[in-house]
Structures are given as C-alpha cells and as structure tokens.
Amino acid sequence: QLQLVESGGGLVQPGGSLRLSCAASGFTLDYLAIGWVRQAPGKEREVVSCLNRSGGSTDYTDSVKGRFTIPRDNAKNTVYLQMNSLKPEDTAIYYCAAGRSYYCSASSDYDYWGQGTQVTVSS
C-alpha cells in the first residue's frame, strides 16, 4: 500500500511558525524526489519547495525563500515543511508529494500525493 499522510496544519497568526509532517508508508522516501505543493482557493497547485533525488533543494515560490525549509528524518520515513514568518498569503491547502523523476519543479513530476492539510494564517 502506497500512502502519504500530511499532518500539522492549522491556524497560525502572521509571523508565527508551523511544521508540517509527511509520513510515508509502503515505500521509502529516501529514493524519491520530494515536494511540498500548495493550492490556494481559485488557484492552481504550485510547487513551493522540493528536494530532488540528489538532495538539492529549491524554493519555487519566491515569497517563501528564506522562510521555508524541508528537513527530513530517514529513520522515520518522514519529511517536514518548516514554515517560519508566516504571512496571510501562505494560506492554502498543503500537499506532500513524491516522485520517481529526478526533477521536482512541477506538479506533473510527482507520482504519489497526500490528501493535504489546511494552513490558515490569520490574526
């Protein structure tokens, strides 16, 4: 059974921090490209940040650079999205995704998707 499960979403005030988790079962994330993708109301899914199979990371949304990182714990087969200095425009459903492709810049690169977790940034 191949499964990705996100957790950690919720309501946070502007300037706050939130840590999302993505736990995998049925396969090992260590050998896949891993990404975090978000979808705001009325907008397409966009890759926020990802790790390619070589370990290189990219923040594909300029607004999150310097604020978001993707720590990982191979022993737990889990990756995280650490979000700092959150802004209202970060509000979206966040999905973790994994793919066999070397690249991770587009949503079409991914083969496996979680169900998403809601992040709301508001005072």
Side-chain angles (χ1 to χ4, degrees), residues 95-106:
Y95 301 86
C96 65
R100 301 183 185 94
S101 175
Y102 177 84
Y103 301 101
C104 60
S105 62

Side-chain angles (χ1 to χ4, degrees), residues 5-10 18-21 36-39 83 92-96 114-120:
V5 179
E6 303 98 333
S7 63
L18 204 60
R19 186 179 179 91
L20 306 183
S21 298
W36 284 95
V37 185
R38 70 184 180 187
Q39 185 170 30
M83 303 184 291
I93 300 174
Y94 284 73
Y95 301 86
C96 65
Q115 291 298 114
T117 185
Q118 177 70 47
V119 173
T120 302

Side-chain angles (χ1 to χ4, degrees), residues 62-103:
D62 288 342
S63 64
V64 312
K65 291 182 178 179
R67 300 188 296 120
F68 290 11
T69 59
I70 307 181
R72 66 188 301 169
D73 188 337
N74 289 336
K76 296 181 179 180
N77 206 29
T78 299
V79 298
Y80 307 89
L81 182 65
Q82 179 65 48
M83 303 184 291
N84 299 323
S85 301
L86 283 163
K87 303 175 181 179
E89 54 263 40
D90 295 320
T91 296
I93 300 174
Y94 284 73
Y95 301 86
C96 65
R100 301 183 185 94
S101 175
Y102 177 84
Y103 301 101

